[in-house]
mmCIF file of all heavy atoms in Angstrom:
data_model
loop_
_atom_site.group_PDB
_atom_site.id
_atom_site.type_symbol
_atom_site.label_atom_id
_atom_site.label_comp_id
_atom_site.label_asym_id
_atom_site.label_seq_id
_atom_site.Cartn_x
_atom_site.Cartn_y
_atom_site.Cartn_z
ATOM 1 N N SER A 27 1.888 -2.258 13.319
ATOM 2 C CA SER A 27 0.495 -2.707 13.387
ATOM 3 C C SER A 27 -0.176 -2.605 12.018
ATOM 4 O O SER A 27 -1.023 -3.439 11.672
ATOM 5 C CB SER A 27 -0.289 -1.919 14.436
ATOM 6 O OG SER A 27 -0.291 -0.543 14.139
ATOM 7 N N ASP A 28 0.206 -1.614 11.215
ATOM 8 C CA ASP A 28 -0.332 -1.528 9.853
ATOM 9 C C ASP A 28 0.185 -2.669 8.987
ATOM 10 O O ASP A 28 -0.542 -3.197 8.143
ATOM 11 C CB ASP A 28 0.040 -0.189 9.216
ATOM 12 C CG ASP A 28 -0.788 0.965 9.757
ATOM 13 O OD1 ASP A 28 -1.783 0.707 10.474
ATOM 14 O OD2 ASP A 28 -0.445 2.125 9.475
ATOM 15 N N GLN A 29 1.442 -3.061 9.192
ATOM 16 C CA GLN A 29 1.976 -4.199 8.432
ATOM 17 C C GLN A 29 1.235 -5.483 8.805
ATOM 18 O O GLN A 29 0.975 -6.333 7.962
ATOM 19 C CB GLN A 29 3.484 -4.356 8.680
ATOM 20 C CG GLN A 29 4.312 -3.118 8.386
ATOM 21 C CD GLN A 29 3.939 -2.447 7.086
ATOM 22 O OE1 GLN A 29 3.836 -3.102 6.051
ATOM 23 N NE2 GLN A 29 3.724 -1.142 7.115
ATOM 24 N N LEU A 30 0.879 -5.598 10.073
ATOM 25 C CA LEU A 30 0.112 -6.755 10.523
ATOM 26 C C LEU A 30 -1.269 -6.775 9.865
ATOM 27 O O LEU A 30 -1.768 -7.836 9.472
ATOM 28 C CB LEU A 30 -0.012 -6.759 12.043
ATOM 29 C CG LEU A 30 -0.686 -7.979 12.675
ATOM 30 C CD1 LEU A 30 0.034 -9.269 12.284
ATOM 31 C CD2 LEU A 30 -0.738 -7.830 14.187
ATOM 32 N N ILE A 31 -1.887 -5.613 9.728
ATOM 33 C CA ILE A 31 -3.180 -5.525 9.041
ATOM 34 C C ILE A 31 -3.045 -6.055 7.617
ATOM 35 O O ILE A 31 -3.852 -6.867 7.161
ATOM 36 C CB ILE A 31 -3.699 -4.072 9.020
ATOM 37 C CG1 ILE A 31 -4.171 -3.657 10.406
ATOM 38 C CG2 ILE A 31 -4.843 -3.914 8.018
ATOM 39 C CD1 ILE A 31 -4.546 -2.181 10.509
ATOM 40 N N GLU A 32 -2.031 -5.589 6.891
ATOM 41 C CA GLU A 32 -1.842 -6.036 5.509
ATOM 42 C C GLU A 32 -1.588 -7.538 5.448
ATOM 43 O O GLU A 32 -2.111 -8.229 4.570
ATOM 44 C CB GLU A 32 -0.671 -5.276 4.868
ATOM 45 C CG GLU A 32 -0.997 -3.878 4.437
ATOM 46 C CD GLU A 32 -1.849 -3.821 3.188
ATOM 47 O OE1 GLU A 32 -3.071 -4.050 3.289
ATOM 48 O OE2 GLU A 32 -1.302 -3.548 2.122
ATOM 49 N N PHE A 33 -0.794 -8.038 6.379
ATOM 50 C CA PHE A 33 -0.500 -9.465 6.434
ATOM 51 C C PHE A 33 -1.794 -10.250 6.669
ATOM 52 O O PHE A 33 -2.078 -11.233 5.983
ATOM 53 C CB PHE A 33 0.514 -9.726 7.550
ATOM 54 C CG PHE A 33 1.053 -11.113 7.594
ATOM 55 C CD1 PHE A 33 1.895 -11.587 6.596
ATOM 56 C CD2 PHE A 33 0.721 -11.971 8.626
ATOM 57 C CE1 PHE A 33 2.397 -12.873 6.633
ATOM 58 C CE2 PHE A 33 1.220 -13.257 8.673
ATOM 59 C CZ PHE A 33 2.052 -13.711 7.671
ATOM 60 N N GLU A 34 -2.588 -9.812 7.628
ATOM 61 C CA GLU A 34 -3.845 -10.494 7.934
ATOM 62 C C GLU A 34 -4.813 -10.445 6.760
ATOM 63 O O GLU A 34 -5.480 -11.433 6.451
ATOM 64 C CB GLU A 34 -4.496 -9.880 9.174
ATOM 65 C CG GLU A 34 -3.773 -10.240 10.442
ATOM 66 C CD GLU A 34 -4.723 -10.489 11.605
ATOM 67 O OE1 GLU A 34 -5.827 -10.999 11.382
ATOM 68 O OE2 GLU A 34 -4.330 -10.164 12.715
ATOM 69 N N LEU A 35 -4.917 -9.288 6.118
ATOM 70 C CA LEU A 35 -5.809 -9.180 4.964
ATOM 71 C C LEU A 35 -5.354 -10.102 3.832
ATOM 72 O O LEU A 35 -6.185 -10.706 3.143
ATOM 73 C CB LEU A 35 -5.886 -7.726 4.476
ATOM 74 C CG LEU A 35 -6.680 -6.763 5.357
ATOM 75 C CD1 LEU A 35 -6.557 -5.341 4.828
ATOM 76 C CD2 LEU A 35 -8.138 -7.176 5.455
ATOM 77 N N GLY A 36 -4.041 -10.204 3.640
ATOM 78 C CA GLY A 36 -3.521 -11.096 2.603
ATOM 79 C C GLY A 36 -3.839 -12.552 2.883
ATOM 80 O O GLY A 36 -4.279 -13.286 1.998
ATOM 81 N N ILE A 37 -3.647 -12.983 4.125
ATOM 82 C CA ILE A 37 -3.955 -14.366 4.504
ATOM 83 C C ILE A 37 -5.455 -14.629 4.368
ATOM 84 O O ILE A 37 -5.884 -15.663 3.855
ATOM 85 C CB ILE A 37 -3.486 -14.655 5.950
ATOM 86 C CG1 ILE A 37 -1.965 -14.542 6.039
ATOM 87 C CG2 ILE A 37 -3.966 -16.011 6.425
ATOM 88 C CD1 ILE A 37 -1.197 -15.519 5.187
ATOM 89 N N TRP A 38 -6.268 -13.669 4.818
ATOM 90 C CA TRP A 38 -7.725 -13.801 4.691
ATOM 91 C C TRP A 38 -8.122 -13.967 3.227
ATOM 92 O O TRP A 38 -8.925 -14.837 2.886
ATOM 93 C CB TRP A 38 -8.412 -12.569 5.299
ATOM 94 C CG TRP A 38 -9.874 -12.479 4.960
ATOM 95 C CD1 TRP A 38 -10.901 -13.144 5.565
ATOM 96 C CD2 TRP A 38 -10.469 -11.671 3.933
ATOM 97 N NE1 TRP A 38 -12.099 -12.802 4.975
ATOM 98 C CE2 TRP A 38 -11.854 -11.899 3.967
ATOM 99 C CE3 TRP A 38 -9.955 -10.781 2.992
ATOM 100 C CZ2 TRP A 38 -12.737 -11.267 3.099
ATOM 101 C CZ3 TRP A 38 -10.832 -10.153 2.125
ATOM 102 C CH2 TRP A 38 -12.200 -10.398 2.182
ATOM 103 N N ALA A 39 -7.548 -13.142 2.363
ATOM 104 C CA ALA A 39 -7.883 -13.208 0.940
ATOM 105 C C ALA A 39 -7.493 -14.557 0.342
ATOM 106 O O ALA A 39 -8.230 -15.136 -0.457
ATOM 107 C CB ALA A 39 -7.194 -12.069 0.188
ATOM 108 N N LEU A 40 -6.331 -15.071 0.730
ATOM 109 C CA LEU A 40 -5.905 -16.375 0.222
ATOM 110 C C LEU A 40 -6.810 -17.498 0.731
ATOM 111 O O LEU A 40 -7.151 -18.417 -0.010
ATOM 112 C CB LEU A 40 -4.460 -16.652 0.636
ATOM 113 C CG LEU A 40 -3.394 -15.807 -0.053
ATOM 114 C CD1 LEU A 40 -2.045 -16.041 0.596
ATOM 115 C CD2 LEU A 40 -3.334 -16.137 -1.537
ATOM 116 N N ARG A 41 -7.208 -17.413 1.982
ATOM 117 C CA ARG A 41 -8.037 -18.471 2.560
ATOM 118 C C ARG A 41 -9.449 -18.488 1.995
ATOM 119 O O ARG A 41 -10.057 -19.541 1.874
ATOM 120 C CB ARG A 41 -8.098 -18.325 4.074
ATOM 121 C CG ARG A 41 -6.802 -18.742 4.705
ATOM 122 C CD ARG A 41 -6.955 -18.981 6.157
ATOM 123 N NE ARG A 41 -5.683 -19.457 6.664
ATOM 124 C CZ ARG A 41 -5.467 -19.826 7.886
ATOM 125 N NH1 ARG A 41 -6.447 -19.797 8.745
ATOM 126 N NH2 ARG A 41 -4.291 -20.245 8.258
ATOM 127 N N THR A 42 -9.984 -17.330 1.683
ATOM 128 C CA THR A 42 -11.349 -17.308 1.148
ATOM 129 C C THR A 42 -11.379 -17.862 -0.275
ATOM 130 O O THR A 42 -12.419 -18.298 -0.740
ATOM 131 C CB THR A 42 -11.921 -15.881 1.117
ATOM 132 O OG1 THR A 42 -11.112 -15.075 0.263
ATOM 133 C CG2 THR A 42 -11.988 -15.279 2.505
ATOM 134 N N ARG A 43 -10.242 -17.820 -0.943
ATOM 135 C CA ARG A 43 -10.082 -18.302 -2.317
ATOM 136 C C ARG A 43 -10.931 -17.550 -3.333
ATOM 137 O O ARG A 43 -10.908 -17.866 -4.512
ATOM 138 C CB ARG A 43 -10.378 -19.806 -2.402
ATOM 139 C CG ARG A 43 -9.401 -20.612 -1.581
ATOM 140 C CD ARG A 43 -9.563 -22.072 -1.805
ATOM 141 N NE ARG A 43 -8.614 -22.769 -0.962
ATOM 142 C CZ ARG A 43 -8.637 -24.055 -0.773
ATOM 143 N NH1 ARG A 43 -9.540 -24.795 -1.360
ATOM 144 N NH2 ARG A 43 -7.740 -24.616 0.000
ATOM 145 N N THR A 44 -11.675 -16.584 -2.872
ATOM 146 C CA THR A 44 -12.471 -15.781 -3.796
ATOM 147 C C THR A 44 -12.036 -14.322 -3.778
ATOM 148 O O THR A 44 -12.500 -13.537 -4.577
ATOM 149 C CB THR A 44 -13.971 -15.842 -3.433
ATOM 150 O OG1 THR A 44 -14.134 -15.340 -2.105
ATOM 151 C CG2 THR A 44 -14.501 -17.263 -3.540
ATOM 152 N N GLN A 45 -11.156 -13.968 -2.861
ATOM 153 C CA GLN A 45 -10.780 -12.573 -2.675
ATOM 154 C C GLN A 45 -9.312 -12.310 -3.017
ATOM 155 O O GLN A 45 -8.738 -11.347 -2.525
ATOM 156 C CB GLN A 45 -11.043 -12.152 -1.223
ATOM 157 C CG GLN A 45 -12.432 -12.454 -0.714
ATOM 158 C CD GLN A 45 -13.514 -11.747 -1.496
ATOM 159 O OE1 GLN A 45 -13.277 -10.717 -2.110
ATOM 160 N NE2 GLN A 45 -14.715 -12.289 -1.488
ATOM 161 N N PHE A 46 -8.713 -13.161 -3.850
ATOM 162 C CA PHE A 46 -7.291 -13.009 -4.117
ATOM 163 C C PHE A 46 -6.965 -11.663 -4.754
ATOM 164 O O PHE A 46 -5.836 -11.200 -4.703
ATOM 165 C CB PHE A 46 -6.775 -14.146 -4.995
ATOM 166 C CG PHE A 46 -5.277 -14.111 -5.155
ATOM 167 C CD1 PHE A 46 -4.452 -14.363 -4.069
ATOM 168 C CD2 PHE A 46 -4.690 -13.795 -6.365
ATOM 169 C CE1 PHE A 46 -3.064 -14.305 -4.187
ATOM 170 C CE2 PHE A 46 -3.305 -13.736 -6.495
ATOM 171 C CZ PHE A 46 -2.502 -13.999 -5.410
ATOM 172 N N LYS A 47 -7.969 -11.022 -5.321
ATOM 173 C CA LYS A 47 -7.766 -9.723 -5.958
ATOM 174 C C LYS A 47 -7.144 -8.706 -4.996
ATOM 175 O O LYS A 47 -6.361 -7.852 -5.399
ATOM 176 C CB LYS A 47 -9.113 -9.217 -6.465
ATOM 177 C CG LYS A 47 -9.097 -7.843 -7.055
ATOM 178 C CD LYS A 47 -10.510 -7.410 -7.404
ATOM 179 C CE LYS A 47 -10.571 -5.902 -7.466
ATOM 180 N NZ LYS A 47 -11.899 -5.377 -7.359
ATOM 181 N N LEU A 48 -7.489 -8.789 -3.713
ATOM 182 C CA LEU A 48 -7.018 -7.792 -2.748
ATOM 183 C C LEU A 48 -5.493 -7.762 -2.616
ATOM 184 O O LEU A 48 -4.877 -6.723 -2.856
ATOM 185 C CB LEU A 48 -7.693 -8.018 -1.393
ATOM 186 C CG LEU A 48 -7.361 -7.013 -0.294
ATOM 187 C CD1 LEU A 48 -7.814 -5.612 -0.678
ATOM 188 C CD2 LEU A 48 -8.043 -7.429 1.006
ATOM 189 N N PRO A 49 -4.830 -8.878 -2.248
ATOM 190 C CA PRO A 49 -3.366 -8.800 -2.158
ATOM 191 C C PRO A 49 -2.707 -8.615 -3.521
ATOM 192 O O PRO A 49 -1.674 -7.949 -3.626
ATOM 193 C CB PRO A 49 -2.969 -10.135 -1.518
ATOM 194 C CG PRO A 49 -4.112 -11.049 -1.749
ATOM 195 C CD PRO A 49 -5.336 -10.186 -1.803
ATOM 196 N N GLN A 50 -3.308 -9.192 -4.545
ATOM 197 C CA GLN A 50 -2.747 -9.048 -5.895
ATOM 198 C C GLN A 50 -2.760 -7.582 -6.312
ATOM 199 O O GLN A 50 -1.767 -7.056 -6.838
ATOM 200 C CB GLN A 50 -3.567 -9.890 -6.877
ATOM 201 C CG GLN A 50 -2.961 -9.998 -8.247
ATOM 202 C CD GLN A 50 -3.765 -10.951 -9.122
ATOM 203 O OE1 GLN A 50 -4.991 -10.924 -9.122
ATOM 204 N NE2 GLN A 50 -3.081 -11.800 -9.843
ATOM 205 N N GLN A 51 -3.857 -6.903 -6.046
ATOM 206 C CA GLN A 51 -3.981 -5.484 -6.380
ATOM 207 C C GLN A 51 -2.976 -4.658 -5.589
ATOM 208 O O GLN A 51 -2.343 -3.742 -6.126
ATOM 209 C CB GLN A 51 -5.407 -5.038 -6.067
ATOM 210 C CG GLN A 51 -5.714 -3.600 -6.383
ATOM 211 C CD GLN A 51 -7.175 -3.290 -6.088
ATOM 212 O OE1 GLN A 51 -8.080 -3.957 -6.565
ATOM 213 N NE2 GLN A 51 -7.390 -2.276 -5.274
ATOM 214 N N SER A 52 -2.817 -4.976 -4.309
ATOM 215 C CA SER A 52 -1.865 -4.254 -3.463
ATOM 216 C C SER A 52 -0.444 -4.403 -4.007
ATOM 217 O O SER A 52 0.304 -3.430 -4.127
ATOM 218 C CB SER A 52 -1.944 -4.767 -2.028
ATOM 219 O OG SER A 52 -1.013 -4.092 -1.212
ATOM 220 N N TYR A 53 -0.060 -5.637 -4.356
ATOM 221 C CA TYR A 53 1.277 -5.872 -4.898
ATOM 222 C C TYR A 53 1.472 -5.126 -6.213
ATOM 223 O O TYR A 53 2.522 -4.516 -6.447
ATOM 224 C CB TYR A 53 1.511 -7.365 -5.108
ATOM 225 C CG TYR A 53 2.252 -8.002 -3.964
ATOM 226 C CD1 TYR A 53 1.572 -8.440 -2.826
ATOM 227 C CD2 TYR A 53 3.626 -8.156 -4.002
ATOM 228 C CE1 TYR A 53 2.250 -9.012 -1.766
ATOM 229 C CE2 TYR A 53 4.309 -8.729 -2.945
ATOM 230 C CZ TYR A 53 3.613 -9.152 -1.833
ATOM 231 O OH TYR A 53 4.288 -9.700 -0.782
ATOM 232 N N GLU A 54 0.471 -5.195 -7.083
ATOM 233 C CA GLU A 54 0.603 -4.530 -8.382
ATOM 234 C C GLU A 54 0.758 -3.023 -8.213
ATOM 235 O O GLU A 54 1.518 -2.384 -8.946
ATOM 236 C CB GLU A 54 -0.599 -4.847 -9.276
ATOM 237 C CG GLU A 54 -0.587 -6.261 -9.833
ATOM 238 C CD GLU A 54 0.670 -6.585 -10.636
ATOM 239 O OE1 GLU A 54 1.210 -5.679 -11.325
ATOM 240 O OE2 GLU A 54 1.124 -7.738 -10.579
ATOM 241 N N GLU A 55 0.050 -2.450 -7.238
ATOM 242 C CA GLU A 55 0.182 -1.013 -7.001
ATOM 243 C C GLU A 55 1.583 -0.661 -6.513
ATOM 244 O O GLU A 55 2.177 0.319 -6.962
ATOM 245 C CB GLU A 55 -0.870 -0.554 -5.988
ATOM 246 C CG GLU A 55 -2.270 -0.511 -6.575
ATOM 247 C CD GLU A 55 -3.339 -0.225 -5.533
ATOM 248 O OE1 GLU A 55 -2.986 0.042 -4.364
ATOM 249 O OE2 GLU A 55 -4.524 -0.280 -5.894
ATOM 250 N N TRP A 56 2.117 -1.459 -5.564
ATOM 251 C CA TRP A 56 3.476 -1.201 -5.074
ATOM 252 C C TRP A 56 4.485 -1.366 -6.209
ATOM 253 O O TRP A 56 5.397 -0.538 -6.361
ATOM 254 C CB TRP A 56 3.823 -2.137 -3.917
ATOM 255 C CG TRP A 56 3.326 -1.641 -2.599
ATOM 256 C CD1 TRP A 56 2.269 -2.108 -1.878
ATOM 257 C CD2 TRP A 56 3.866 -0.558 -1.840
ATOM 258 N NE1 TRP A 56 2.118 -1.387 -0.725
ATOM 259 C CE2 TRP A 56 3.086 -0.429 -0.662
ATOM 260 C CE3 TRP A 56 4.934 0.311 -2.026
ATOM 261 C CZ2 TRP A 56 3.346 0.532 0.305
ATOM 262 C CZ3 TRP A 56 5.196 1.269 -1.056
ATOM 263 C CH2 TRP A 56 4.405 1.378 0.090
ATOM 264 N N LEU A 57 4.351 -2.418 -7.006
ATOM 265 C CA LEU A 57 5.276 -2.626 -8.119
ATOM 266 C C LEU A 57 5.205 -1.473 -9.115
ATOM 267 O O LEU A 57 6.232 -1.023 -9.633
ATOM 268 C CB LEU A 57 4.970 -3.952 -8.828
ATOM 269 C CG LEU A 57 5.395 -5.209 -8.084
ATOM 270 C CD1 LEU A 57 4.814 -6.454 -8.759
ATOM 271 C CD2 LEU A 57 6.914 -5.320 -8.006
ATOM 272 N N SER A 58 4.015 -0.974 -9.370
ATOM 273 C CA SER A 58 3.855 0.149 -10.289
ATOM 274 C C SER A 58 4.555 1.396 -9.757
ATOM 275 O O SER A 58 5.243 2.110 -10.502
ATOM 276 C CB SER A 58 2.361 0.429 -10.495
ATOM 277 O OG SER A 58 2.188 1.542 -11.330
ATOM 278 N N VAL A 59 4.408 1.660 -8.455
ATOM 279 C CA VAL A 59 5.095 2.812 -7.839
ATOM 280 C C VAL A 59 6.603 2.646 -7.973
ATOM 281 O O VAL A 59 7.317 3.576 -8.384
ATOM 282 C CB VAL A 59 4.699 2.959 -6.352
ATOM 283 C CG1 VAL A 59 5.614 3.946 -5.633
ATOM 284 C CG2 VAL A 59 3.240 3.397 -6.222
ATOM 285 N N TYR A 60 7.107 1.464 -7.662
ATOM 286 C CA TYR A 60 8.553 1.209 -7.747
ATOM 287 C C TYR A 60 9.052 1.369 -9.178
ATOM 288 O O TYR A 60 10.085 2.001 -9.414
ATOM 289 C CB TYR A 60 8.878 -0.200 -7.251
ATOM 290 C CG TYR A 60 8.842 -0.382 -5.758
ATOM 291 C CD1 TYR A 60 8.379 0.603 -4.904
ATOM 292 C CD2 TYR A 60 9.274 -1.565 -5.182
ATOM 293 C CE1 TYR A 60 8.350 0.426 -3.533
ATOM 294 C CE2 TYR A 60 9.251 -1.756 -3.807
ATOM 295 C CZ TYR A 60 8.784 -0.756 -2.996
ATOM 296 O OH TYR A 60 8.765 -0.947 -1.636
ATOM 297 N N ARG A 61 8.322 0.789 -10.136
ATOM 298 C CA ARG A 61 8.748 0.890 -11.539
ATOM 299 C C ARG A 61 8.801 2.352 -11.987
ATOM 300 O O ARG A 61 9.755 2.777 -12.638
ATOM 301 C CB ARG A 61 7.817 0.078 -12.446
ATOM 302 C CG ARG A 61 8.024 -1.424 -12.356
ATOM 303 C CD ARG A 61 7.260 -2.169 -13.439
ATOM 304 N NE ARG A 61 5.821 -2.079 -13.261
ATOM 305 C CZ ARG A 61 5.057 -3.033 -12.722
ATOM 306 N NH1 ARG A 61 5.593 -4.176 -12.315
ATOM 307 N NH2 ARG A 61 3.763 -2.868 -12.612
ATOM 308 N N ASP A 62 7.768 3.120 -11.634
ATOM 309 C CA ASP A 62 7.733 4.534 -12.032
ATOM 310 C C ASP A 62 8.907 5.309 -11.432
ATOM 311 O O ASP A 62 9.537 6.124 -12.109
ATOM 312 C CB ASP A 62 6.414 5.180 -11.600
ATOM 313 C CG ASP A 62 5.216 4.690 -12.402
ATOM 314 O OD1 ASP A 62 5.417 4.027 -13.444
ATOM 315 O OD2 ASP A 62 4.076 4.959 -11.972
ATOM 316 N N LEU A 63 9.189 5.050 -10.155
ATOM 317 C CA LEU A 63 10.302 5.742 -9.499
ATOM 318 C C LEU A 63 11.641 5.354 -10.115
ATOM 319 O O LEU A 63 12.514 6.211 -10.318
ATOM 320 C CB LEU A 63 10.306 5.432 -8.001
ATOM 321 C CG LEU A 63 9.143 6.019 -7.199
ATOM 322 C CD1 LEU A 63 9.146 5.477 -5.770
ATOM 323 C CD2 LEU A 63 9.195 7.546 -7.198
ATOM 324 N N LEU A 64 11.810 4.090 -10.414
ATOM 325 C CA LEU A 64 13.065 3.636 -11.022
ATOM 326 C C LEU A 64 13.232 4.217 -12.425
ATOM 327 O O LEU A 64 14.332 4.625 -12.807
ATOM 328 C CB LEU A 64 13.107 2.109 -11.063
ATOM 329 C CG LEU A 64 13.239 1.420 -9.700
ATOM 330 C CD1 LEU A 64 12.925 -0.073 -9.821
ATOM 331 C CD2 LEU A 64 14.630 1.631 -9.116
#
């Protein structure tokens, strides 16, 4: 259900065309965590 929330928020952000920062920020944070761990 949490994954569904993230999916919905991502689609919402893309559709509004003004909120793309939200999924972009989420991805950048995950990538940063992965890079640091690696």
Side-chain angles (χ1 to χ4, degrees):
S27 60
D28 285 349
Q29 305 315 311
L30 185 57
I31 287 173
E32 282 286 78
F33 188 69
E34 287 218 34
L35 287 174
I37 296 298
W38 168 81
L40 290 172
R41 286 196 177 183
T42 61
R43 297 188 181 169
T44 60
Q45 308 299 335
F46 187 68
K47 176 185 158 199
L48 183 62
Q50 189 175 43
Q51 181 178 306
S52 179
Y53 263 84
E54 286 303 325
E55 287 173 5
W56 276 106
L57 286 170
S58 177
V59 168
Y60 284 8
R61 285 190 293 260
D62 289 348
L63 292 172
L64 291 166

